[in-house]
Amino acid sequence: MAIRLPTVIVPYAGPCNENCRDLFVYLRPESNGVEVESVLMRVFMNNPAYKGHVKIVYMANLPGSFINDRKIIENHYAVKYHFASLGKKTFTPYMAQAFTQFFSVPFEDAHIVGAFEALRILGITPEELVKLWVDPFDMMTLNGQTIKHKDDLYIVNYDIPALLHKNSNRTDLAAMIFRTDLDWEGIHAMFGHMTEALIEEQILDPRIPPSRVFHFSKSPFEMLLDGCGYLVDKEYNAIPVMELTFAHWLLDRGIPEAEILGIIGNPIFRFPGYAGGVVEENLLTYTTNHTYEEALARWRSATSQVLIMS
């Protein structure tokens, strides 16, 4: 099968040197990309609270065959894929202790499996695994990994097989970068209005989380991961992550490129906890709603890095 090439509608404008925040936004393959794009843009172009505060500095349509050929999905979700593949073997001692405290089950005795093994055990499809309903207290997020408890199984990153399955050669993905001077409160309000508009247009079922239709970066470090692979130029070459605004900002403050790339590849760190203790957190989620300065300060407060990916 011939590989279809991306359509770059708005070439990347390059890093911002002013007081701005870049957010990577991409539309899930199961969404109607054109309709969703139209609704999202209409909100920030017509609403006085956002008009003049948001602009698109990158927009492209990435065909599924191109995404699969470049292994963009696998690379983007590399850490989550690792946990979904190996399950219990990937847990650190801290994760084992936190698991026991949350579920009140000894880690050694718990039947913890990765999502791919869960498919085999349960004999269901990836989409059925996503839709497998459990009570909120049977769900745990730990070091950026999601654990779903069903019967005697504890399933790690149940959504990864479906994410890989949905991105076929026949599906496209729309990717954008929103550049804004809004603070995080304003950003979340804007995406809240976008969700309401999608529901009003009957594009989004109100019972379905908006994250099933579109994703946006929720922290500076997550923005770097979101840019990996999805950012291409008109010659279809991947634009280096160092060209993203936050990476440029970090470089200007003396953080070496190797360290920045190392954070993306192994984002789990140990931080000082209460009463002299230690906590482990995924830096991408641990810096949610942080400014660039706050995100850098939090990373600098880490006592060590947990190397999950070799």
Side-chain angles (χ1 to χ4, degrees):
M1 180 181 291
I3 298 172
R4 293 184 294 131
L5 297 173
T7 302
V8 179
I9 302 163
V10 179
Y12 179 52
C16 173
N17 295 319
E18 303 168 5
N19 181 27
C20 65
R21 180 177 288 108
D22 284 353
L23 307 169
F24 216 98
V25 179
Y26 53 81
L27 310 184
R28 304 293 188 187
E30 60 269 34
S31 70
N32 186 321
V34 175
E35 287 189 23
V36 174
E37 281 178 22
S38 176
V39 171
L40 298 189
M41 288 189 286
R42 189 167 70 237
V43 168
F44 73 74
M45 290 175 67
N46 296 341
N47 190 316
Y50 315 123
K51 188 175 183 179
H53 294 281
V54 183
K55 63 180 178 180
I56 292 180
V57 295
Y58 173 72
M59 179 186 291
N61 183 71
L62 305 178
S65 56
F66 178 84
I67 292 172
N68 288 339
D69 181 67
R70 297 285 181 96
K71 297 189 181 301
I72 292 173
I73 300 296
E74 291 88 339
N75 292 333
H76 184 267
Y77 291 105
V79 175
K80 292 178 72 69
Y81 182 88
H82 185 72
F83 275 87
S85 299
L86 299 180
K88 193 172 190 174
K89 296 176 184 177
T90 55
F91 279 49
T92 66
Y94 175 87
M95 294 176 70
Q97 182 180 28
F99 172 92
T100 296
Q101 291 176 344
F102 184 89
F103 288 112
S104 299
V105 175
F107 175 76
E108 296 76 13
D109 301 333
H111 193 185
I112 303 170
V113 298
F116 297 101
E117 185 178 354
L119 292 177
R120 180 185 60 79
I121 293 172
L122 296 173
I124 60 177
T125 67
E127 190 61 29
E128 287 172 334
L129 183 58
V130 170
K131 294 179 179 178
L132 196 65
W133 188 89
V134 299
D135 287 317
F137 54 79
D138 280 320
M139 292 278 287
M140 178 190 193
T141 300
L142 184 58
N143 281 0
Q145 318 309 312
T146 305
I147 303 167
K148 176 187 278 190
H149 174 213
K150 182 66 175 179
D151 299 328
D152 68 333
L153 287 181
Y154 297 87
I155 305 165
V156 183
N157 291 339
Y158 65 90
D159 57 334
I160 289 299
L163 283 170
L164 295 173
H165 179 73
K166 287 173 183 174
N167 289 276
S168 70
N169 287 332
R170 295 181 298 276
T171 58
D172 293 0
L173 185 146
M176 297 173 279
I177 294 179
F178 288 7
R179 181 161 289 170
T180 180
D181 60 5
L182 295 171
D183 60 17
W184 280 106
E185 183 178 359
I187 289 168
H188 285 286
M190 178 180 67
F191 280 105
H193 284 124
M194 289 177 175
T195 299
E196 292 170 3
L198 290 171
I199 293 172
E200 289 174 4
E201 295 289 335
Q202 298 184 341
I203 297 173
L204 175 65
D205 187 324
R207 297 168 297 180
I208 296 176
S211 60
R212 295 286 294 275
V213 175
F214 67 87
H215 162 88
F216 69 94
S217 311
K218 298 175 181 64
S219 79
F221 283 108
E222 185 179 45
M223 169 64 189
L224 299 184
L225 176 64
D226 287 342
C228 294
Y230 293 109
L231 189 63
V232 298
D233 61 24
K234 285 203 166 185
E235 283 70 48
Y236 321 118
N237 300 308
I239 296 176
V241 69
M242 291 301 110
E243 290 301 311
L244 292 170
T245 294
F246 182 54
H248 227 254
W249 187 89
L250 291 172
L251 289 171
D252 286 345
R253 280 147 188 81
I255 310 302
E257 178 178 342
E259 289 198 47
I260 298 171
L261 295 176
I263 291 170
I264 301 170
N266 279 289
I268 300 172
F269 288 79
R270 295 190 178 99
F271 298 89
Y274 294 108
V278 175
V279 296
E280 281 181 8
E281 294 285 355
N282 187 308
L283 192 66
L284 276 62
T285 53
Y286 202 41
T287 53
T288 295
N289 298 339
H290 280 41
T291 64
Y292 289 178
E293 291 81 3
E294 291 168 342
L296 176 58
R298 175 146 282 185
W299 171 65
R300 281 177 164 161
S301 73
T303 57
S304 61
Q305 184 176 19
V306 180
L307 298 180
I308 298 294
M309 302 290 290
S310 58

